[in-house]
Amino acid sequence: MKKKLLILTIFLFIISIESPQGMIFPMWIVIFIFKDKLIKIVDKIALPIAFIWIGTLLWLFTEFFAILNNLNVEYGKRILMSQDPITDILIAPAYYTFFISLIYFLVKKYNFSKKEIFFISGIYWIFTENNWIILLNIFINPLLWTATAFLVMSVYAVFPILTYLLTEHRFENNRQKPTIKIYLLLPIILFLFWAIFWNITLPIFKIIFWE
């Protein structure tokens, strides 16, 4: 099984050379293959730090691949937090750290399944990616943009799951089960997170980095 996954990893790496953002797929397969060894390393770090650090690091790899993917794209049309790659990679850690911290506090208090974490994270990115463009275009071309939505989920939502995969055994088993009230509050919490970061935090960072 491991040998087959390694062959798949090499294959995905080769076909992603022309489109670097595709590198994330072999990356998360590698993490899955070596999860037992990685867990031993991660176990030496305090749980909150380990969870937030792993999640942020994985997303930064994604952002790095996204920057490579957008280098030849015309300035102003790049799908990045900042059109300047250097500014983007400086801003990204704050965004991803805040988001994975939010996920950490949710899973610390409530016993969400991996599937629920995937959908919570994935739906957030579908709604917010590139100024809500996916959500808006789903109504124009449902087939194409639904497929795009699932691709976005597979890109971004997999990293909270991988982070949880490496740390799940360290969370308490008697955590509360999420209630209907929590599920109803989640969209509000995620919207507030998005609104605060993009309308307050991000403009401040752009001023700091003189964009």
Side-chain angles (χ1 to χ4, degrees):
M1 177 66 174
K2 188 177 288 189
K3 189 177 291 185
K4 290 179 180 179
L5 286 174
L6 283 172
I7 293 170
L8 177 62
T9 300
I10 294 168
F11 172 74
L12 290 173
F13 176 82
I14 292 170
I15 66 173
S16 298
I17 291 173
E18 289 294 319
S19 181
Q21 197 154 10
M23 295 288 185
I24 59 168
F25 297 108
M27 184 178 77
W28 59 254
I29 294 174
V30 168
I31 292 168
F32 179 78
I33 292 171
F34 297 103
K35 69 179 188 306
D36 293 335
K37 292 182 179 179
L38 291 170
I39 285 171
K40 290 179 181 178
I41 297 170
V42 172
D43 280 352
K44 298 175 182 178
I45 307 169
L47 178 57
I49 296 171
F51 193 96
I52 294 167
W53 176 73
I54 294 166
T56 302
L57 186 64
L58 292 175
W59 263 319
L60 284 178
F61 274 112
T62 305
E63 195 67 23
F64 176 71
F65 294 139
I67 288 171
L68 292 179
N69 217 56
N70 281 270
L71 284 178
N72 295 324
V73 177
E74 183 183 342
Y75 195 93
K77 295 182 179 179
R78 294 170 177 171
I79 305 176
L80 299 168
M81 279 185 276
S82 168
Q83 293 299 298
D84 176 58
I86 295 174
T87 303
D88 184 85
I89 206 65
L90 291 172
I91 291 172
Y95 187 44
Y96 296 130
T97 299
F98 291 154
F99 188 81
I100 200 65
S101 298
L102 175 62
I103 297 295
Y104 170 75
F105 286 114
L106 286 172
V107 298
K108 184 175 185 294
K109 188 170 179 61
Y110 299 102
N111 193 8
F112 287 103
S113 67
K114 294 184 185 72
K115 188 184 294 183
E116 288 172 321
I117 294 170
F118 178 81
F119 280 105
I120 290 168
S121 303
I123 289 170
Y124 171 80
W125 292 103
I126 287 171
F127 272 74
T128 60
E129 178 72 0
N130 200 20
N131 294 320
W132 308 71
I133 192 170
I134 295 174
L135 184 65
L136 295 173
N137 279 285
I138 278 178
F139 298 101
I140 299 171
N141 189 334
L143 187 62
L144 173 62
W145 287 94
T146 298
T148 303
F150 277 109
L151 178 61
V152 168
M153 289 180 75
S154 68
V155 169
Y156 290 104
V158 74
F159 294 121
I161 293 177
L162 289 173
T163 303
Y164 192 48
L165 180 71
L166 298 177
T167 57
E168 182 181 11
H169 61 288
R170 299 173 66 184
F171 285 92
E172 294 180 7
N173 292 324
N174 60 349
R175 287 169 290 160
Q176 299 176 44
K177 284 285 185 183
T179 61
I180 296 296
K181 181 181 177 181
I182 297 303
Y183 288 120
L184 293 174
L185 281 173
L186 274 174
I188 299 171
I189 294 169
L190 292 171
F191 175 78
L192 287 173
F193 168 81
W194 173 84
I196 291 169
F197 186 87
W198 287 93
N199 294 288
I200 299 174
T201 311
L202 184 59
I204 291 172
F205 272 110
K206 288 188 174 183
I207 291 170
I208 292 172
F209 294 113
W210 298 96
E211 186 177 63

